């Protein structure tokens, strides 16, 4: 039994992507989804510790004006061996700064295949699809897939608690007038 | 008196997993291919190993031996590329097998209610009773109600 052959592209559009590694595993993300690439060290000074129950992949948050960016450890998100991330991708239109090992290269893809329906668990939120590049298959991540609305709600309430605790500590150390 | 019995012969592919033989309806088989590189990436679906590249398609690899035999295959000779139904959608899935496959024409005995969901029926062949596999039940996939037609499987990219 034959299925329809893969779509052929006459004037193939391309999408610029960044190939990056997390715990040695290769992933791709659309360049248009990455607002900034920063070294993890450059952000660490501005980062505040956060501890939301059940969300081990987020340990730090960065405040930018009235916006909070949650630093997601890519290795923990994907269930890979823990690795010290060296770079942060600030993902556009999200509240995620993704901690990755490093950038492999920038390239372009012409085809994105939907994730086969056999993959039927969380990975459907993680990936936009798969692409074949140089005889290898690379998952293309979904920027919105790193933190679900439920996780964001938990992180926000943990952030409020952190702020209260910090305010309380500050009051205790303030000298009496 | 002569009783004429009309046999409903159907084509099946006999496959070997370890020491056991199973069958799949030939209508569900796309091709038999030599093992190629399996590309692995993080996911949470049990039984799926990764994907292979076949004729420009990305095909998931699903090892069904653990469920059928209770252990993983130690040797793989081929991948049987089968068509898996997801509601109205069809996709290829690669099933590793450990021996030659054979095409046979036989009448299938229907499965009974007491049979496991992965049993589509039974064949009597060469003195063996062989399970006909229901790959739709044996391989992972979303609940049927959750399957909604998506766009084309392979699309040009749109940033």
């Amino acid at each position: 039994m034959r299925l329809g052959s893969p779509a052929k592209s006459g004037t193939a559009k391309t999408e610029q992507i960044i190939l990056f590694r997390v715990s040695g595993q290769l992933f791709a993300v659309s360049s248009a989804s990455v607002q900034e690439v920063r070294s993890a060290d450059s952000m660490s000074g501005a980062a505040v510790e956060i501890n939301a129950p059940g969300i081990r992949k987020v340990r730090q948050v960065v405040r930018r004006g009235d916006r909070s960016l949650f630093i997601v450890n890519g290795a923990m998100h994907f269930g890979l061996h823990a690795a010290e991330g060296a770079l942060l991708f600030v993902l556009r239109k999200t509240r995620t700064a993704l901690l990755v090992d490093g950038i492999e290269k920038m390239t372009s893809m012409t085809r994105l295949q939907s994730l086969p329906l056999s993959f039927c668990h969380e990975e459907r939120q993680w990936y936009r699809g798969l692409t074949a590049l140089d005889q290898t298959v690379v998952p293309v991540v979904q920027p919105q897939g790193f933190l679900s609305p439920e996780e964001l709600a938990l992180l926000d309430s943990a952030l409020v608690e952190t702020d209260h605790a910090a305010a309380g500590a500050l009051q205790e150390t303030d000298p009496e007038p | 008196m002569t009783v004429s019995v009309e046999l409903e012969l159907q084509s099946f592919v006999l496959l070997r997993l370890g020491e056991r033989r199973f069958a799949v309806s030939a209508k569900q088989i796309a091709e038999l291919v030599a093992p190629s590189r399996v590309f692995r990436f993080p996911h949470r679906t049990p039984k799926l190993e990764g994907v292979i590249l076949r004729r420009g398609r990305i095909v998931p690899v699903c090892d069904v031996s653990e469920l059928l035999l209770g252990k993983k295959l130690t040797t793989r000779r081929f991948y049987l590329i089968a068509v898996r139904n997801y509601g109205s959608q069809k996709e290829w899935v690669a099933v590793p097998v450990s021996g030659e496959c054979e095409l046979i024409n036989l009448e299938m005995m229907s499965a009974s209610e007491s049979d496991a969901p992965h049993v589509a029926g039974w064949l009597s062949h060469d003195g063996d009773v062989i399970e006909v596999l229901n790959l739709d039940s044996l391989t992972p996939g979303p609940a049927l109600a959750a399957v909604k037609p998506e766009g084309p499987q392979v699309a040009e990219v749109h940033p």
Side-chain angles (χ1 to χ4, degrees), chain A residues 58-118:
Chain A
V58 179
R59 282 280 174 262
Q60 290 180 309
V61 60
V62 177
R63 290 273 172 68
R64 285 189 161 180
D66 55 355
R67 198 163 158 250
S68 310
L69 279 176
F70 298 108
I71 299 179
V72 176
N73 183 306
M76 293 185 86
H77 172 76
F78 290 116
L80 298 169
H81 293 295
E84 284 294 318
L87 285 183
L88 276 170
F89 288 170
V90 177
L91 299 177
R92 205 180 293 277
K93 293 179 185 168
T94 72
R95 296 172 67 194
T96 299
L98 179 66
L99 195 55
V100 306
D101 295 357
I103 290 176
E104 186 84 2
K105 65 175 177 179
M106 291 185 72
T107 185
S108 58
M109 65 174 178
T110 51
R111 281 180 176 178
L112 179 68
Q113 182 174 318
S114 319
L115 196 64
L117 289 167
S118 302

Side-chain angles (χ1 to χ4, degrees), chain B residues 80-94:
Chain B
L80 198 62
I81 311 268
V83 177
R84 164 65 154 101
N85 299 298
Y86 299 92
S88 59
Q89 287 181 256
K90 294 177 190 299
E91 280 188 5
W92 281 356
V93 60

Side-chain angles (χ1 to χ4, degrees), chain B residues 136-149:
Chain B
D136 294 354
S137 157
L138 202 54
T139 55
L144 279 184
V147 178
K148 57 174 189 275

